[in-house]
Structure formats: structure tokens, C-alpha cells
Amino acid sequence: MALPTSGEISLDMVRRELGRSNTVALGDADVRNLAKIASPNPISLSDLRGKQRAVVVRVTPRRWQEGGITNLVIYTGYRKSNGAGSVDPTSIHGHAISEITAATFMQRQEHAFRLFITQFSGATISCRIRTDKGYQQDFPLSYASGAYLTKGGAGSTVEKIVEAVVNSSWFDLTIFS
């Protein structure tokens, strides 16, 4: 649940948004991260208006195969001509989700999970996948070439994530700020 965009904001509201049981101060690292204001820059409660610790995106997949890639799963309007699936909501902190892809490259025995968010920058974001079949996994996605991307070989966490989402009717992707 996001902090209010208008009206009063208290440090207790910020504490609850961050999921902390102890007190918070404006200068705390997680409060600054939520506001996206680096130290030593000044910060105020108004910098936290509308901020949200986590966004849960419900993804309904559409699958197909293409070239040397099997189990390609892509969601959103990126490839409408191929019958792309859907996401809800379609943006994260005001940035549109352009693509979510899970793929297995058979020739290279490599697996990839990619999340492309327009005009989004940063080093690493924390994510959680939870599928309709009960699979759950926390993992980081690192920013590279305009997209968040993680790769892995056989037996890797990425392979397990790709297999889980490819075999699901829906999955929730929680993105922590």
C-alpha cells in the first residue's frame, strides 16, 4: 500500500510502509531508498508522497516458440502480434512495463528472465516470484543494457524460475523498491 499522495504523512506511516517494527528516522538508509534521495541530500516527509515499498504485478502468460529459443514466454503489449499475455498493473512507480520474458536457449543450455521497464535506472532490484502452483523464489535482477536481466545454466535458480513461470497459468512478480 503506497503512502498518501496528499494530506498528512507521519513517520509511523513510513515505518508501516517499510514493514519495520522499530522506529524510523528520515535519515535512515531504507527511508532514503524509499524516497530515492541519496545522503547527504536533504529529505523531508513530502519526499515520500505516493512512495511504495513493493509493487505486485500479476502476470498472465502467453507462450510460443521462436527460432532456437524454446519455452519463450513474453508478457505485455511488447509483441501484440504474437498474442502477448497481460500484466496488472502495467507500470512500476510511474514507469511502464514493456516486457517480461522467460526463455530457454536450448543450444546454449542457458535460461534467462528479463524485465524491461521504460526509463528505469538503478543497479539492482529485489524481486519475488510466486506462481499459481505454489512456487516462490526471491532473487535480484541487475540493470544491464536498458533491461533487468538474469541468466543461468542448468540447475540454476534462473532455470527453476523459468520452468516455474512457463508452467503457470499466472504468477505474481513482487518488485521491492
Side-chain angles (χ1 to χ4, degrees), residues 16-32:
R16 286 193 309 267
E17 180 63 33
L18 292 171
R20 287 181 41 183
S21 58
N22 55 346
T23 60
V24 298
L26 282 175
D28 291 352
D30 54 349
V31 175
R32 286 184 168 283

Side-chain angles (χ1 to χ4, degrees), residues 70-122:
T70 60
N71 298 330
L72 179 69
V73 185
I74 195 163
Y75 314 88
T76 77
Y78 180 68
R79 292 190 180 175
K80 286 184 186 287
S81 62
N82 287 340
S86 64
V87 297
D88 184 34
T90 58
S91 65
I92 298 168
H93 303 305
H95 302 284
I97 300 170
S98 298
E99 176 184 345
I100 299 175
T101 308
T104 300
F105 303 90
M106 296 308 288
Q107 296 87 344
R108 293 181 279 177
Q109 295 185 347
E110 183 178 77
H111 309 277
F113 185 86
R114 177 171 127 136
L115 167 63
F116 186 80
I117 305 168
T118 59
Q119 301 173 340
F120 201 78
S121 63

Side-chain angles (χ1 to χ4, degrees), residues 2 15 46 53 56 61 66 69 79 106 113 116 125 138 141-142 155:
R15 177 193 62 78
S46 64
R53 178 176 168 255
V56 179
E66 200 176 279
I69 306 169
R79 292 190 180 175
M106 296 308 288
F113 185 86
F116 186 80
I125 58 173
D138 292 352
L141 284 176
S142 299

